[in-house]
Amino acid sequence: MTSTNAARIAAHESWARTADRTSRTAAARAGLFARFEREARERLGPGASERQVAEAAESARRAHYARLSAAGVAARRGAA
């Protein structure tokens, strides 16, 4: 068994023992959104309102996940 397969099996076993998946990933989600907010604040400058920053951060989050989705589609097409 390769180390990649062993790691994949261990990850699946760990998730199988996780009762509350949402709370397990909450810190990671919060950290990622904080990065989007920080980057939006830097792009918009000090005069931006909280609403503008929040809207820009949400758009950045959506763009991030759209890029991930497109990369997944491209990878699956390449694998077929």
Side-chain angles (χ1 to χ4, degrees):
M1 179 181 318
T2 66
S3 62
T4 302
N5 286 339
R8 183 176 295 151
I9 290 167
H12 284 299
E13 288 174 346
S14 176
W15 280 107
R17 290 188 300 272
T18 301
D20 187 355
R21 291 169 174 246
T22 301
S23 67
R24 179 173 169 177
T25 59
R29 284 192 317 277
L32 185 59
F33 195 74
R35 185 188 95 192
F36 294 138
E37 282 186 336
R38 185 177 60 253
E39 291 172 355
R41 219 174 276 289
E42 290 170 3
R43 277 193 302 274
L44 296 175
S49 70
E50 288 302 311
R51 181 178 179 158
Q52 289 171 319
V53 170
E55 289 173 350
E58 177 62 18
S59 290
R61 184 189 70 80
R62 288 177 186 223
H64 171 75
Y65 284 108
R67 281 191 297 276
L68 287 178
S69 177
V73 169
R76 286 188 297 278
R77 285 186 180 153

